[in-house]
Amino acid sequence: MTTSPAHSDRILLGVGLMLAFCVLAPLLDVSAKLATATLPVGQIVVARFVVQAVLMLPFVLLMRLDWRISRRTTGFVFARAVCLMLATYCFVAAVAVMPIADALAIVFVEPFILLILGSLLFGDEVGPRRIAASTIGFLGALLVIQPSISAFGWVALFPLGTAFTFAAYMLITRAMSRSMHPVTMQLHTALAGSVICLPLMALFDGSGIKELDAIMPVGIEWVWLFGVGFWAACSHMCMTYALKFAPSATLAPLHYAELIAAVTLGYLVFGDFPNPMTWAGIAIITGSGLYIIYREHVTARATVTAPKQKR
């Protein structure tokens, strides 16, 4: 069967939007790393949520989306916001001292964590091949972590915190996706994150805790803070609509292009370039992740043609 031109155009648009996400998301990381030179990590996290909420609100209004949510959904929204808040904090704290590409490479073990958690929480069937690929992926992460710990200390483990909390964030998103529009979900998550973060920053104001004691930004610092929220909103909108136009199985392998963008921007802006061991770890993580995506595609197709076939 041949694919209709209209359908092909939609898939190509989805691929283009996913590639746009892969370029825009590291710009969020660059803005955050630039901001950490003078601003507390907690303040940067707050900026992400506040700016993203302000930017997402007009989209919800223009699209005339219903943004009322039930009490049960409110709990999911706040849980999602907490996971994203922790994931963002861990990653920003990491890139404050280590290269963006190194931190992102460690975060890319998140699909392996998601695979295991999906099996434990949702009963997703996971075969031995994917378990083996996940194990190899973790070994690849260790190749990145080991020299990073030697160079930057235990903060090199922070990206693992991002990987675990972002995996939880994705599982909550999965539970909410059938009952809530993705754009509305992003707005409510940003609003919930703001509601949580702003009182915390007020509580720690004047505490002397470097990571949480906010200071008044000046000059270019405002640009970096705005950039964190702006690039977060833009990149996630691209991903949201990419998934609308193209199947996730088509888009998932493209996500690894984000590593290429992160290495390029890290080198151009900060002069950072991964060492050979980090490159080896990146290659192992990427290869393992692509294999898992391939196995997901194979088992999904097998389930359609032979539902009772074992994975």
Side-chain angles (χ1 to χ4, degrees):
M1 181 187 297
T2 57
T3 305
S4 67
H7 186 59
S8 297
D9 289 344
R10 286 174 63 87
I11 291 178
L12 287 175
L13 177 58
V15 168
L17 287 169
M18 187 64 188
L19 291 175
F21 165 82
C22 292
V23 174
L24 297 177
L27 289 172
L28 155 63
D29 305 332
V30 168
S31 297
K33 187 173 178 67
L34 289 168
T36 58
T38 53
L39 297 172
V41 173
Q43 189 170 353
I44 298 168
V45 175
V46 173
R48 182 217 170 114
F49 285 109
V50 173
V51 174
Q52 190 169 354
V54 171
L55 293 176
M56 292 303 300
L57 181 59
F59 280 97
V60 172
L61 296 177
L62 288 172
M63 296 172 69
R64 297 182 180 179
L65 299 174
D66 183 4
W67 62 334
R68 294 172 297 178
I69 56 175
S70 66
R71 184 175 299 178
R72 177 177 178 273
T73 304
T74 300
F76 277 111
V77 167
F78 272 90
R80 189 173 188 262
V82 168
C83 290
L84 186 57
M85 179 181 70
L86 293 173
T88 303
Y89 184 93
C90 288
F91 192 78
V92 174
V95 299
V97 298
M98 63 189 296
I100 293 171
D102 292 40
L104 188 61
I106 299 169
V107 171
F108 265 81
V109 302
E110 177 264 334
F112 314 136
I113 298 169
L114 193 60
L115 191 72
I116 302 302
L117 290 179
S119 175
L120 294 175
L121 298 178
F122 292 96
D124 295 343
E125 196 169 350
V126 180
R129 294 178 182 178
R130 284 181 286 176
I131 292 175
S134 298
T135 302
I136 294 170
F138 273 110
L139 294 176
L142 291 178
L143 287 179
V144 181
I145 292 171
Q146 194 278 328
S148 296
I149 288 179
S150 300
F152 310 114
W154 291 104
V155 73
L157 294 178
F158 273 39
L160 276 182
T162 298
F164 277 97
T165 51
F166 197 76
Y169 166 87
M170 292 299 292
L171 288 174
I172 295 170
T173 301
R174 173 179 170 178
M176 298 172 61
S177 60
R178 293 183 179 179
S179 60
M180 197 172 191
H181 192 283
V183 176
T184 309
M185 192 188 303
Q186 287 188 47
L187 171 63
H188 280 294
T189 300
L191 289 172
S194 301
V195 168
I196 295 169
C197 289
L198 287 172
L200 285 176
M201 293 305 293
L203 179 66
F204 285 98
D205 185 34
S207 66
I209 300 175
K210 180 182 177 182
E211 293 79 9
L212 299 173
D213 191 355
I215 62 176
M216 179 59 67
V218 294
I220 196 68
E221 293 171 347
W222 287 106
V223 177
W224 305 144
L225 287 178
F226 178 78
V228 170
F230 177 78
W231 297 119
C234 290
S235 61
H236 281 265
M237 282 292 286
C238 285
M239 177 180 279
T240 297
Y241 278 96
L243 290 167
K244 178 179 179 180
F245 294 127
S248 58
T250 301
L251 300 178
L254 299 175
H255 196 184
Y256 287 93
E258 187 181 349
L259 277 170
I260 299 173
V263 170
T264 303
L265 289 170
Y267 179 73
L268 292 176
V269 179
F270 305 105
D272 295 330
F273 196 77
N275 59 38
M277 187 174 291
T278 299
W279 274 119
I282 289 174
I284 291 172
I285 293 167
T286 302
S288 301
L290 291 175
Y291 179 77
I292 286 177
I293 292 168
Y294 165 74
R295 290 302 305 169
E296 292 284 352
H297 177 69
V298 169
T299 52
R301 186 171 54 189
T303 300
V304 172
T305 57
K308 295 183 180 180
Q309 182 178 336
K310 296 289 186 181
R311 296 190 208 185

